[in-house]
Amino acid sequence: QSVQSTVPPPPPSQPPSHLRTMMANCILTYLVALVSCVLSADHLPLNETKRALEWLLTQRQKDWGWGVYDTPQALLAVQLTRTGNPLETQLSAKQMEIDLVLQLWRHHETPAMTPATMAMYSMALSSICHDPRQFHGHDLIGSLLHPAHEPESDSEFTLCALAVCNSGAHIRKKPLRRLLNIANSKHTVDSLAGVVLAVQCIMKVH
């Protein structure tokens, strides 16, 4: 009688920590460009950012996405840096739309998207010239603006505020006060960076 092997499969490969850090810096840098609309030839990626973007493209899967929850972030970085083949980017965008439609249609079967995930999808849609307020009958920005969906986490809140502002929607006084309160208190670098981006966007749009 054969005995099945109990050796566990090898864990999925993870990118080196320095590449993950560069990827995070890349996305943050070009979110600034997104909200300030200053992408030009004078804002080319640095060598380390180019390496991170090259690595990012190698992680794309056979369906042209990066996984349900990673595709929006990856596509946003690719779009804002104008990296890769335009046709392949279009295929990635279509895969992201499919992923999002399935999540919205199956919301009663699977855990609902977090506000941060919805915010990232919203910004990725904006980067491919799609209106997140009119996505196949769904208003992602309206959902983010609903008081019941306001995140408790400051980092998630700042990301949502950035997505709302980037869509051109109005930022009410209460969320703006919370942004300013976050800026005037001790928080993580991510939270403070998000506040800077959101406030910069609000100043330009409003």
Side-chain angles (χ1 to χ4, degrees):
Q1 185 177 1
S2 61
V3 179
Q4 293 183 346
S5 173
T6 58
V7 178
S13 59
Q14 295 291 330
S17 59
H18 69 283
L19 282 179
R20 294 200 301 270
T21 301
M22 287 188 292
M23 193 64 252
N25 290 337
C26 166
I27 293 174
L28 181 60
T29 299
Y30 287 96
L31 278 175
V32 176
L34 174 66
V35 298
S36 58
C37 300
V38 293
L39 273 177
S40 68
D42 296 331
H43 294 82
L44 294 176
L46 300 175
N47 288 336
E48 59 269 22
T49 307
K50 286 184 177 180
R51 288 176 54 208
L53 288 165
E54 290 172 357
W55 168 82
L56 178 65
L57 293 178
T58 66
Q59 302 305 301
R60 191 155 37 192
Q61 300 174 4
K62 292 182 179 180
D63 62 3
W64 299 100
W66 285 266
V68 173
Y69 297 105
D70 292 332
T71 297
Q73 293 94 317
L75 181 61
L76 186 59
V78 168
Q79 279 291 96
L80 296 177
T81 55
R82 301 170 185 172
T83 300
N85 182 289
L87 178 58
E88 293 178 352
T89 301
Q90 289 181 29
L91 293 172
S92 296
K94 289 299 181 184
Q95 182 58 42
M96 183 193 72
E97 292 184 57
I98 293 171
D99 290 339
L100 179 54
V101 166
L102 290 176
Q103 287 191 76
L104 293 171
W105 283 354
R106 296 174 178 172
H107 68 278
H108 58 286
E109 301 176 4
T110 58
M113 279 191 294
T114 65
T117 299
M118 189 173 295
M120 192 58 71
Y121 268 113
S122 298
M123 288 191 286
L125 286 171
S126 295
S127 76
I128 58 174
C129 300
H130 285 22
D131 188 352
R133 293 170 293 186
Q134 299 180 22
F135 180 74
H136 297 280
H138 295 274
D139 182 358
L140 303 186
I141 300 302
S143 296
L144 291 175
L145 286 171
H146 197 287
H149 298 161
E150 181 174 325
E152 294 184 6
S153 164
D154 287 336
S155 58
E156 282 196 30
F157 174 78
T158 55
L159 183 61
C160 292
L162 179 59
V164 169
C165 178
N166 183 61
S167 73
H170 179 68
I171 301 291
R172 299 185 179 93
K173 290 183 179 180
K174 183 179 178 181
L176 181 56
R177 283 197 297 268
R178 182 174 174 183
L179 284 173
L180 296 178
N181 288 336
I182 296 172
N184 292 325
S185 57
K186 293 182 179 180
H187 283 277
T188 64
V189 173
D190 289 344
S191 296
L192 292 177
V195 170
V196 171
L197 294 173
V199 171
Q200 181 184 21
C201 176
I202 293 169
M203 291 176 62
K204 288 183 176 293
V205 173
H206 303 289

